[in-house]
Amino acid sequence: MAVTRRVFLRGGAMAVVGTAMVPGLLTRAVLAQTEGLRRGGKRLVVVFQRGAADGLNIVVPYREASYYAMRSSIAVQPNEVLDLDGFFGLHPAMSSLKPFWDARELAIVHACGSPDPTRSHFDAQDYMESGTPGVKATTDGWLNRALAAAPSRELVRGEPVSAFRAISLGETVPRTLAGPVPAVAVGRVDC
């Protein structure tokens, strides 16, 4: 089964991808990272949804009356929402993320956007991935620049724990990871 955006979202991001499904190379990379995590190392997982992800039905403002007034036919009902903080809740299909929220290992940045006033969906998407609103000439992505600015200090027996520092699910490395720091794209995890 190919990992589509819908399957990825429904499965609760990488939380449900079992190591039995991951190719040997990725399994070794993940296991090598375990040592760094035990020493308090942190990982950043970025989910950038292109297209039809409806943020208000993923992270639902279920205590907001206007949400139900304006979305009467598509609103997630309060009894279905997985409460996060008494006002916002997760869509029930996101239940695998709830334990990470409860353990304070997940943060949700809701309703964020660019200060650039473009009305172009494509420009706006490019600005979000490059991290330079209004500048079309940027050649690298914000996440690659962040990786370059934070050198990997995690070593196991004096060797780097991985040959690459970033993994992307998809056929190509996304614009966010474009740049000098090595990144790998994995099109499928079922092989």
Side-chain angles (χ1 to χ4, degrees):
M1 178 176 94
V3 176
T4 65
R5 177 177 56 215
R6 200 170 298 277
V7 169
F8 182 76
L9 197 85
R10 189 179 324 126
M14 292 288 282
V16 297
V17 178
T19 57
M21 294 175 51
V22 180
L25 169 68
L26 293 178
T27 302
R28 287 191 301 277
V30 168
L31 292 176
Q33 299 294 334
T34 305
E35 181 64 28
L37 289 174
R38 271 191 241 132
R39 292 185 316 225
K42 295 183 179 185
R43 300 293 174 265
L44 172 65
V45 177
V46 177
V47 179
F48 187 85
Q49 294 288 307
R50 290 176 179 81
D54 180 354
L56 290 175
N57 277 359
I58 294 172
V59 181
V60 182
Y62 74 99
R63 294 285 187 215
E64 175 60 55
S66 298
Y67 168 76
Y68 294 99
M70 297 175 152
R71 295 173 156 245
S72 60
S73 64
I74 62 169
V76 181
Q77 297 307 307
N79 64 325
E80 298 174 324
V81 172
L82 304 172
D83 179 60
L84 294 175
D85 64 2
F87 185 84
F88 287 102
L90 288 174
H91 186 284
M94 304 295 287
S95 63
S96 59
L97 294 179
K98 183 73 163 70
F100 294 101
W101 173 269
D102 293 340
R104 301 177 58 89
E105 295 173 349
L106 170 69
I108 297 170
V109 181
H110 204 330
C112 62
S114 168
D116 187 81
T118 184
R119 297 194 53 84
S120 165
H121 168 80
F122 301 104
D123 285 349
Q125 179 174 292
D126 192 50
Y127 297 155
M128 290 297 284
E129 291 197 72
S130 69
T132 55
V135 180
K136 290 187 177 189
T138 306
T139 59
D140 55 2
W142 72 265
L143 190 50
N144 196 283
R145 289 193 305 274
L147 288 169
S152 175
R153 290 182 223 121
E154 295 180 12
L155 302 174
V156 173
R157 292 179 291 283
E159 296 294 320
V161 293
S162 178
F164 49 86
R165 300 205 26 222
I167 300 170
S168 169
L169 288 177
E171 298 299 322
T172 60
V173 173
R175 175 117 166 72
T176 332
L177 286 171
V181 176
V184 64
V186 179
R188 297 173 56 131
V189 293
D190 63 341
C191 30

